[in-house]
């Protein structure tokens, strides 16, 4: 039996067409859906599933959470994928998008739910032939509109919307609430010196130069995955904006629980590091995940819980990342290979996949030391989508044995060199591309968001049209 036939034995009994589901409509998922829609043969459809009504341009959230007037531009319509309701999804034969929350996944089926509790719509099972899992990671607290980090709370933290449902209007309201909190604070502590934390700190300092802004980072270097010059240029840019930068220290979790001022007092709260350094702040924005063992872990937690529930072997217990082959197919590593060793071992040490029809891309994938970024997710998604098209078009030529041996004709992903651009205030930025580090001073307030709208199929949009 060919892989396409074997993969579709469930879906073909209930749907008029064969289905590729793309789970997540961000940078990787949107690109995968586009490549598939352009290349699938007749009788196939793409179903793009995302819990948001609009594509969220996450990289601009930190700027728009500080600077008023541009927040609506971060939510971009899905132009090329018409919306389909949950109740009609099984009968939609063309490429569609459905706004829903994914409850579970197995080898050939996903279960979907409406976003908000109390909805009249019930859960729905959708069978698929192939799936691309592009659910990324949970964002750090200051830009996490869905409020995932519920374990640690402090009166210093930014506000959230308790019943968030993923609509554009809710997203705009949430960013505006953050703007108000930042404007009202006299001093702000940002925990975590990754790119988003750096940009958040520098934006606050640039928009509100009278505020005391402190950036606390557990490592002794900013942006440690990049050239030393990136650290030096970034540190200089922060200091030019009068941001106090504290490196090599972690925040003491217990200090968040102690009230250092009387109720109603205008005095700032005082927190401390594990080294005992005291920091006063009205507002805390954590770009690292606060945990009860007092450690600051990675700010973006891989969103792989659905895969772990399906098969715990597919997800590393150490990193939370999904194991993949270089074809981007979900993989179960051999028992003899330890999870941390599997991260760097050559792909030939894992030649089998129990899930040849499920691909994982982006921040959720353990993709051979590729940096976690939108552009890497984009390229991984292209590889995954092209491999699905190959498997479909070579129904009789490309075969995977019952053991799931990797077919050599599939395309393999290889990470490119690290690349990044980090803003340092409204106009200055530092970047590394192909090993070259340099700065620019050509920035604009909305971060040139029209380029992203154009990439999503909407060129020359007006300011008014961006409210859509």
């Amino acid at each position: 039996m060919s892989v396409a036939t074997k993969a579709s034995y469930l879906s073909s009994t209930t749907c008029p067409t064969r289905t590729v589901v793309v789970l997540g409509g961000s940078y990787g998922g949107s690109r995968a859906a586009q490549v598939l829609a352009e290349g699938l043969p007749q009788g196939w459809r793409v179903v793009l599933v995302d819990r948001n009504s609009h594509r969220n341009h996450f990289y601009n959230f930190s700027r728009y959470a500080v600077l008023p007037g541009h927040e609506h531009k971060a939510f971009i319509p899905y132009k090329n994928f018409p919306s389909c309701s949950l109740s009609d999804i099984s009968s939609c034969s063309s490429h569609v998008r459905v706004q829903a929350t994914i409850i579970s996944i197995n080898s050939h089926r996903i279960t979907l739910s409406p976003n908000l509790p109390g909805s009249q719509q019930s859960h729905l099972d959708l069978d698929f032939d192939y799936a691309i899992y592009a659910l990324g990671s949970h964002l750090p607290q200051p830009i996490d509109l869905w409020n995932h980090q519920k374990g640690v709370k402090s009166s210093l933290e930014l506000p959230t919307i308790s019943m968030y449902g993923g609509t554009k209007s809710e997203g705009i309201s949430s960013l505006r609430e953050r703007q108000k909190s930042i404007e009202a604070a006299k001093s702000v502590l940002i925990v975590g010196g990754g790119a988003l934390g750096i940009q958040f700190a520098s934006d606050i300092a640039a928009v509100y130069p009278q505020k005391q802004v402190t950036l606390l980072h557990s490592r002794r270097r900013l942006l440690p995955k990049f050239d030393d010059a990136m650290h030096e240029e970034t540190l200089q840019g922060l200091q030019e904006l009068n941001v106090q930068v504290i490196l090599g220290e972690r925040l003491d979790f217990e200090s968040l629980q102690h009230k250092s001022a009387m109720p109603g007092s205008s005095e700032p709260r005082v927190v401390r590091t594990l080294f005992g350094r005291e920091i006063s702040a009205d507002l805390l924005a954590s770009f690292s995940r606060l945990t009860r063992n007092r450690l600051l872990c990675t700010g973006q937690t891989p969103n792989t819980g659905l895969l772990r529930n399906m098969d715990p072997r597919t997800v590393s217990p150490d990193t939370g990342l999904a194991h993949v082959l270089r074809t981007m197919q979900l993989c179960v590593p051999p028992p003899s290979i330890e999870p941390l060793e599997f991260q760097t071992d050559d792909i030939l040490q894992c030649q089998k996949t129990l899930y040849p029809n499920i691909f994982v891309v982006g921040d959720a994938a353990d993709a051979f030391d590729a940096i976690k970024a939108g552009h890497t997710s984009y390229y991984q998604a292209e590889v995954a989508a092209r491999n699905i098209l190959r498997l479909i078009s070579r129904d009789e030529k490309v075969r995977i044995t019952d053991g799931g041996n990797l077919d050599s004709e599939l395309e393999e992903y290889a990470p490119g060199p690290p690349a990044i651009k980090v803003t340092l205030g409204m106009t200055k930025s530092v970047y590394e591309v192909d090993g070259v580090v340099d700065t620019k001073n050509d920035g604009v307030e909305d971060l040139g968001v029209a380029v992203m709208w154009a990439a999503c199929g909407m060129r020359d949009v007006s300011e008014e049209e961006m409210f859509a």
Side-chain angles (χ1 to χ4, degrees), residues 105-423:
I105 181 174
N106 63 32
S107 60
H108 294 284
R109 177 176 294 172
I110 55 173
T111 300
L112 304 176
S113 169
N115 283 348
L116 292 176
S119 171
Q120 298 302 309
Q121 289 182 294
S122 59
H123 293 184
L124 179 136
D125 291 335
L126 177 64
D127 297 327
F128 63 83
D129 299 275
Y130 294 96
I132 294 182
Y133 190 101
L135 293 179
S137 56
H138 299 310
L139 295 172
Q141 173 253 341
I143 59 173
D144 179 13
L145 306 186
W146 287 89
N147 190 27
H148 287 100
Q149 297 187 30
K150 300 175 181 178
V152 178
K153 286 297 173 188
S154 165
S155 60
L156 293 172
E157 291 187 11
L158 288 162
T160 58
I161 295 178
S162 59
M163 294 290 288
Y164 191 75
T167 65
K168 179 164 184 166
S169 61
E170 289 171 320
I172 291 171
S173 296
S174 186
L175 290 175
R176 286 175 177 169
E177 288 299 314
R178 285 161 165 78
Q179 294 165 7
K180 293 176 185 177
S181 295
I182 293 167
E183 182 181 17
K186 294 181 180 178
S187 55
V188 183
L189 169 62
I190 292 94
V191 180
L196 291 174
I198 291 166
Q199 292 178 157
F200 199 58
S202 61
D203 283 347
I204 294 173
V207 175
Y208 301 105
Q210 76 281 8
K211 294 187 189 300
Q212 176 187 331
V213 180
T214 302
L215 177 64
L216 176 66
H217 188 49
S218 61
R219 299 181 182 228
R220 296 193 177 277
R221 268 192 60 196
L222 300 168
L223 306 171
K225 291 187 176 181
F226 298 90
D227 192 277
D228 287 347
M230 283 293 295
H231 163 78
E232 295 164 3
E233 291 285 357
T234 300
L235 184 60
Q236 179 181 332
L238 290 167
Q239 291 171 341
E240 289 172 354
L241 292 166
N242 296 316
V243 176
Q244 181 186 13
V245 181
I246 302 173
L247 300 176
E249 298 192 40
R250 297 180 183 273
L251 186 66
D252 186 347
F253 167 76
E254 288 186 358
S255 69
L256 291 176
Q257 312 305 313
H258 298 157
K259 294 183 182 291
S260 55
M262 296 295 292
S265 170
S266 60
E267 293 297 315
R269 288 275 301 277
V270 176
V271 297
R272 65 176 180 271
T273 70
L274 290 175
F275 286 173
R277 184 197 298 261
E278 292 189 340
I279 305 170
S280 62
D282 296 317
L283 189 66
L284 180 145
S286 175
F287 284 85
S288 293
R289 181 162 54 90
L290 299 174
T291 62
R292 294 192 177 276
N293 62 3
R294 304 185 187 181
L295 295 180
L296 294 178
C297 304
T298 177
Q300 294 180 225
T301 308
N303 187 7
T304 51
L306 295 171
L307 295 174
R308 186 184 296 109
N309 291 340
M310 178 187 74
D311 186 341
R313 299 171 300 171
T314 64
V315 177
S316 167
D318 300 288
T319 65
L321 296 168
H323 300 299
V324 293
L325 305 177
R326 287 195 181 270
T327 58
M328 305 312 297
Q329 288 166 301
L330 184 64
C331 174
V332 174
S336 60
I337 299 179
E338 294 295 328
L340 288 179
E341 294 176 346
F342 180 78
Q343 282 186 278
T344 56
D345 280 349
D346 190 86
I347 191 61
L348 293 177
Q349 293 186 333
C350 186
Q351 297 184 357
K352 296 183 179 181
T353 171
L354 301 179
Y355 304 98
N357 63 322
I358 298 179
F359 295 72
V360 185
V361 302
D363 286 5
D366 186 0
F368 320 102
D369 293 326
I371 63 171
K372 305 303 180 187
H375 64 273
T376 54
S377 179
Y378 181 99
Y379 294 126
Q380 291 166 16
E382 288 190 328
V383 171
R386 287 194 292 261
N387 279 337
I388 289 176
L389 294 176
R390 282 185 173 92
L391 290 172
I392 292 171
S393 65
R394 300 174 187 179
D395 195 331
E396 294 302 323
K397 295 180 181 178
V398 178
R399 295 179 181 274
I400 297 177
T401 68
D402 290 339
N405 288 333
L406 174 64
D407 192 293
S408 60
E409 294 186 45
L410 294 182
E411 181 179 350
E412 296 186 349
Y413 171 74
I420 193 172
K421 177 182 178 181
V422 180
T423 59

